[in-house]
Amino acid sequence: MQPEDESGWRSLWTEYLAFDGSVLDVVIHDKTWSRILEGKLIRGLLAFEASELVGFAHYIFHPSTWSLSETCYLQDLFVVPEMRGRGIGRSLISHVFADAAAFGSSRVYWQTQTDNQSALALYEKVAERSGYIQFSKSIT
């Protein structure tokens, strides 16, 4: 991602959050963008079709208590609805896998909503279900 990609990214980011039913303060949008540009805590990829921004992925490398190498968490993956089913999501995931391998990561993992059928159809082609259920509690 480059600084000139910001407005396109923000547009897709907002669409992604709406799809998820989430609303975040603009301060979080700003911090997320700056972290992606830094490329340290959060990395990002963009997908273009005929010079139009159509998708993105955000992922994070972190230590693990189960491995000597870093683990990669694919936190966000989004492709605009009208472009789904064309291999864009799969391509973004493949790029994350390649970067994780180059980084020396032992695995990539992610989560999705249980009723997100289009995402599940793709994910079951590129990875295995872990069998774990996620629990979450807001602390703030």
Side-chain angles (χ1 to χ4, degrees):
M1 292 187 185
Q2 302 299 321
E4 59 269 18
D5 297 320
E6 183 176 5
S7 69
W9 171 84
R10 280 185 186 265
S11 178
L12 258 60
W13 175 241
T14 302
E15 188 175 345
Y16 169 69
L17 292 173
F19 172 80
D20 189 56
S22 299
V23 177
L24 300 177
D25 190 288
V26 70
V27 174
I28 296 173
H29 296 248
D30 295 343
K31 185 65 172 182
T32 298
W33 179 251
S34 69
R35 285 176 169 166
I36 290 168
L37 287 183
E38 289 170 1
K40 295 177 184 172
L41 295 176
I42 302 173
R43 294 188 184 189
L45 299 169
L46 297 175
F48 292 90
E49 184 74 27
S51 75
E52 181 183 347
L53 181 57
V54 296
F56 65 80
H58 304 146
Y59 54 105
I60 303 165
F61 292 106
H62 64 85
S64 171
T65 59
W66 289 35
S67 172
L68 297 176
S69 62
E70 304 291 317
T71 298
C72 179
Y73 175 49
L74 173 56
Q75 186 163 18
D76 306 303
L77 179 71
F78 181 72
V79 174
V80 295
E82 59 272 15
M83 298 300 289
R84 292 180 186 158
R86 299 182 184 195
I88 296 166
R90 182 187 293 256
S91 178
L92 285 165
I93 291 170
S94 292
H95 285 318
V96 172
F97 290 169
D99 197 20
F103 193 82
S105 183
S106 60
R107 73 182 183 108
V108 177
Y109 71 100
W110 62 94
Q111 61 190 18
T112 193
Q113 295 172 341
T114 58
D115 63 349
N116 189 342
Q117 295 304 312
S118 65
L120 288 168
L122 169 61
Y123 299 161
E124 289 177 345
K125 292 175 185 169
V126 300
E128 301 82 36
R129 285 191 191 216
S130 68
Y132 287 89
I133 299 170
Q134 181 196 42
F135 290 85
S136 176
K137 175 153 178 51
S138 295
I139 303 300
T140 56

